[in-house]
Every structure is written in C-alpha cells, then in structure tokens.
Amino acid sequence: MNAQATISWRNRLDKILYFFPFQLLFLQLKRNYLLLSFWLLLFAFVLDGIGSKYGISHLFLYPEYRGCNDSIAYSLLGFSIGGFIVSYNLYTYIMHSHRFPFLATLDKPLYKFSINNFIIPLTFILVYYWSSYQFQVDNELVPQKEAFLNLLSFTLGVFLMAGFSSVYFRLTNKNIRTFTEKVREEGKEESLASSALQKPSSWEDLEKRTEDWRVDTYIFSFRRVLLARSIKHYPREVLEKVLAQHHVNASLFELMIIISFILVGLFREHLVFEIPAASSAVLFFTVLVMLFSAIYSWVKGWTFPLIITIILIINFSPVLTSFFNLETRVYGLDYSGEKDDYNSLVLKNSVTLDDYDRSLKVQIKSLENWKSKVSKGMNEKPKLVILSVSGGGLRSALWTMKSVLTADSAMNGELLNNTHLITGSSGGMIGASYMRELVRENVLDYSELSAEPCFDDISRDILNPMILAMTTHDLALRYRKVEVDGESHLMDRAYSFERKLNINTSNRLNKKLSDFVEPEFESRIPTMIFSPTINLDGRRLIVGAQDFSFLCLTEEGELQENVCYTKLFKDRNPFNTEFTSVLRMNATFPYVLPASKLPTSEIVKVADAGLRDNFGLRLSFNYINELKEWIEKNTSGVVLLEVRDTRKNEQKKPPPKKLLNELTAPLGGVYSNVIRTQDYDNELQLDLLRKSLSVPVYRVPFELELANEKKVTLSWHLTKLEKEAVLSGVEKESFLNSLKELKVLINGN
C-alpha cells in the first residue's frame, strides 16, 4: 500500500517536473542565452529598468502612431510583439525541436510546441498590461476605460499575428502520418529541398542530444493535457524528415518577416509606415533573432565565434569599415572636391588678424544697431541682455519657450527686445530658435499665452521617426538616400530628426544660415551662436550667421579652443547650411543622433555642445570679454539670463552600497558630475569676469522646479504629465522671484 502510494506520488511529481512547458523553460535558461537577453531587454523597457532618464519605456507603454496615441498604435505594437513571440517560438523550435522528437508524432506540431512554450511570453504580456495601464492613467492622464480599450487593441494585435502565423504553418507543415502514407504510396522516401536559410541536423546528432530532455506530459489544447507518445516504433528517417520539413517552412516565414522589415524601412517617410518606435525596435529584435537562427542552423556551436570573427574582419579592413561607416553630413555644406586638411596650422591660419578686426567691427556695428533700438526715449544707458539656455531635449526646449515668453509677456515685450545674444546647447537652442521666429513673425498673443499652440508644437514627439530610422536603416541596410541642395545624403535618423522638427514647427525653422545674416546684424532678432563639440580634439565649432572670427583667435603660442565654421569652410558655401542641421549638430547626444562628419581629409565629427558647455555660459563670457570696451562704454551692465531645465544646487543622493555600484563608481562618478563640474567652472569664470569689467554683471536664473519629486525625462519624447510639469514651472516661487528681479534690472520697476 505504502509502496504503491510512493510510486503514485512519484509519478505525479514526474508528470509535473517533466511537463513540456517546464522542460522548455529549463531549456531556455540552460541554452537560449541570446533569446533570454532580448526578453530581458523587453522586460527592462516596460519596467523602466533601462534608459529611464531618457524615457525609453514611454515608447512602449504609450506608443504613438501618426501623432496619435490610440488603439491603432497599440494594435501595431501588439502585432510586432506577436511577431517577436512567433520568432521566439520558431528560433526555439528550429534549434531544439530535435531534443523532443515526440513532436513529429503530433498533429500541428509547431502549434503544439508554441502553446507549450508560453511561460515567458505570457509573463511579459501580463507585466506589460500592468505597466502600461498604470502609465496611461498616472502619467498620460488617460481615462481608465480608454486605457483598457488600448490594452484590448494591443491584445488583438498579438492574436492577429499569432493567427496569421498559425494559418501559414497549418497549411504548410506535415505530420508523421502524412509522410508515412506518402512513403507507402510511392514506395520511396520523399525528398525535401533544403532551405536556403536552414540546414537540418543529422539523425545521429538528433539522437545524441535528446536523451536529457524527457517529456511525460504536454498541453494538447487550452483545455487538455496529454501524455507524450512513444517514438520507438517510428523510423528514424521519417522523424528526421518531418522536423526538417518544418524547419524549411519556418525559414520561409522568417524570410517574409525580414522582407517586411525592409519594406517598412523603404517607405518609412510615408506616414502610413511611420510605425511606433517601440514596434520598430521589436521588429529589429525579431529580425536579429531570425538571422541568428539561420546562422546557427548551419554552423551550430561555431555561431558566436563566427560572428566575432566577422566583426574583427570588418573592424580591421579599411574597405569594409568605410562601407559600414554611417557618414552623416551637414545639409547645405558643399562636400564636393578634395577634402580640406584639419590640423593646428590650418586652424591657426583660418582666422587672421584682419579677420579678427573686421569681424569685431561688424559685431560692434550690430551692437550699435541694438543700442539704437532699445534706447529710444531713454536717457540712461541700457542693459545688455544675453540669454543662455541649457540642453535637455524637449524638456529644455519647452521650458525655454515657456519661461522666456512668460517673462517677455509680463515685461510687455521688453525682455526679448533687449536681448542681443542667445547661446546654449541642444534642446534649449531649438526652443529659443522657434521662439525667435514666432516673435519675428509677431504671431503670438500674449493675452492668451497659456493657450498658445506653440508649446504643443515644440514638445511634439521627435523620437519615434528617429528610432524607426535607426532600426530599419542605420543599424541594418543603409540603402536609402535623399538629395538636399544637389548633395546626396543618407536617409538616416539625422534626416528624420530634421524632417520631423520642420513638421512640428510648421517649417519655420526650414531656413539657411544666410537667411539670418541681415536680421541679426540689424538687431531685428537676437544673434545666435552655436558651439557643437569637435570629437577629434574637444574644440568648439563656432557656428552662426555672423562672422565670429573674433572669438576664434588666440595669442601667439596659445592653444586654440574655438574654430570658426564659416572661416574653416569658407570655400564650401557655409552660409548655405541648413539651419536645422546647425540645430542638429548642436544637439547630437551620443548614440541618439549620429555625429556629423565634416568635409575634411581626417575623420572629424561634431557632437552635442553640452559635452563642453551645456549652458552656453562659457561662450557668453568669451563674447563679453572680447567686446569689453564697447560694453563698458555703452551699457549700464550685462544681464545674464540663464535658463536651466534642472536645479543648479540640487543635492544628489548617494547610490546604495552595492557591489556593482562600487565597481562602476570610478567612471560613473565622473560621468554623472559632468554638468556639476561645468557649473563650478562657470562660477569661477563669472567671478573673474565681474572683477575685470567696470560695469556690473547680473545673473538671473530661470530654473525648472518640479513639485513632489516629479521627474521629466531627458528625451525627444514627453508624456502629457511631463509637459504639464514643465509648463507649471512658471508658477513656482523660484521663477516668480527671478522674474521680479529681471523686471527691476531691465525696466527699473
């Protein structure tokens, strides 16, 4: 009795332990490290475990399609997730079905395999439901009913892809009975064409690798669990043939997915194909999984050594390296002919003393025009207002526009009227540029400023088309080109960035540098100076519509820090440069946007201005020092209006004491304090400037203050809650106090 009970208990335990879904899960944990890494990435994305600072999770939790976050966007994301789940099942089936030969005895074996391989996909979908629902309701302020409908659309998308793949494999895959009957009818074995992508394993290898993977029970349908059939009475050749035929059909399905990926990239500039960024990322993962599957089917355990070897060959081969190099250019700049040299001697000779004197006189004349404009009816000397704005993606762009326009409205337009110069980096300069055009066109209604659509325009998503371009073009096949001003350029994420920026701002920024030469000189609009960082040597590339040679000449023997763009490329029509390209160069955050290659014989690229001067203050100090005599003689002081999307003196919490934190502390500490280090340097430079100038230098901060520990991501995509948090910053006491101070300084009241 006891023995029977023990046997019965052990049998039940075996049926659980050797339950097919559990065996497949153990298999993933033991052998499928590649697939697990993709799943871990997806889990990290939806749980905000990766790139939380940059809002990557937002793209998954609240997808956008054609400017709308609706059921269509969710269904497209669900469809792409469904595709990844199918690829996950296909990969596992192709790689490991030989370990479970009982599958060949089943009707619709791939379907049976897929429903048993459910644990990880189902867990992900449940996690996604919870995360997305919470995010929609709490961060995007979506009504609960609408959030539920969005998730329903997501589910329909998943099932639509599952249904499509199920129909395909049901029509193409054969089971063992079909093969046996065929053999009996013809009296010979049916030959199978090998797939171009797949190479079936030999039966000896199949037999050798199945012994450790026992299966007693499996899910037959959603309502039935059955015992696994014995395969001892089936011919080995027939079992092998069944599985091989399934691999062929799977490879054809993989090919269809890859073709779909290429088509999306081919037509992505059309709004219909501008799928959600998360969908394109998942689609890219799907293609990678399928390519790895194809390679593995041929070389088996040599897959990763082969891939590493190919990467090393490409890395050390100049021809292959140039082929895979993403050469993003500056639109409008002439790249034809022989490339220019770039070295210390060339830089030194690019600006002469005559250039210095001439450019300084032109800038003084521009300042005289500014003084004439602001001094009408005034008996006293005006204060020179210099606006310096910080980088920070759309967060900074929105805050710059909201804070400065609110202050300008409160001062009856006198703030921007008194502003002669604007410097800064990244998103702040994009917001300032759009604001400058709106003021120039006189289209703003200050009486209804809070309802102005310009704040919605500048904070519209730019990230989705960039990620789509990255996954379908930049990281894959770089086959699309576009012509701008007679020059051929890759249709990469840089092009997508500029195109979407123009769309969001109603083409108000779709201009050339030359379009700003006259209005800036005449002081009809503030002068702008951009300073992207040169990756090769850390210098600043000084870009603008005026001749800024006076900022780029140093004493004999001194190390030259600034390089004048219009002088360095004077023979390449630099004033024909697209203004959006200037904005892009100034906002090239590493990896998010590709660094722009300059037309030089050496590989010289430019990246984000924030790497050197995130707030534009250093450049403002340079400008004041060079024009010191005129400022002292013609103004009653300088007002440095510093617009920051973060608090300067905000105290950081130390990281928890964990092993990984201790290991990354030496590098992480330096990187995380780059902005703070710039603040220390700016304080020192400001102190020296004040001591050297005979007129006062005032510093007024417009710092974005967030309530209740709220955070706004550093991204080219903002949620509704994040937008509201930024816009409400003008209601905080810190901003109101700064505004009062600014009014007194400029208006005297």
Side-chain angles (χ1 to χ4, degrees), residues 57-77 128 135 140 271-280 394 456 459-465 468 500 504 716-720 723:
S57 64
H58 303 175
L59 304 177
F60 285 82
L61 303 179
Y62 198 56
E64 179 177 310
Y65 175 64
R66 301 179 67 177
C68 298
N69 307 91
D70 53 16
S71 58
I72 298 177
Y74 274 91
S75 57
L76 287 172
L77 177 59
Y128 180 82
F135 184 83
E140 294 289 353
L271 285 177
V272 175
F273 289 90
E274 201 172 278
I275 62 175
S279 297
S280 61
L394 291 185
D456 289 329
S459 59
R460 292 187 192 280
D461 171 79
I462 305 178
L463 191 58
N464 271 278
L468 178 61
K500 192 62 171 25
N504 292 352
W716 296 110
H717 179 95
L718 296 178
T719 68
K720 289 183 181 179
K723 294 176 186 179

Side-chain angles (χ1 to χ4, degrees), residues 14 56 76 129 148 185 207 255 269 284 310 439 494 505 519 635 693 704 725 729 748:
D14 286 349
I56 294 178
L76 287 172
Y129 285 161
F148 176 79
E185 290 176 4
E207 185 181 40
L255 185 62
E269 72 271 18
F284 181 66
I310 292 173
V439 173
T505 57
T635 74
L693 214 61
L704 176 60

Side-chain angles (χ1 to χ4, degrees), residues 478-527:
R478 298 166 183 175
Y479 52 91
R480 298 284 327 263
K481 291 194 175 181
V482 63
E483 189 171 296
V484 181
D485 291 332
E487 290 275 351
S488 181
H489 301 274
L490 288 173
M491 196 179 286
D492 56 4
R493 60 190 186 279
Y495 172 79
S496 298
F497 176 88
E498 293 191 32
R499 177 174 174 268
K500 192 62 171 25
L501 181 60
N502 278 326
I503 292 173
N504 292 352
T505 57
S506 303
N507 277 316
R508 285 191 168 92
L509 300 177
N510 190 17
K511 293 179 171 63
K512 307 280 189 181
L513 270 183
S514 57
D515 295 325
F516 301 100
V517 173
E518 186 176 333
E520 285 188 2
F521 173 75
E522 295 177 353
S523 196
R524 286 187 276 128
I525 59 174
T527 296

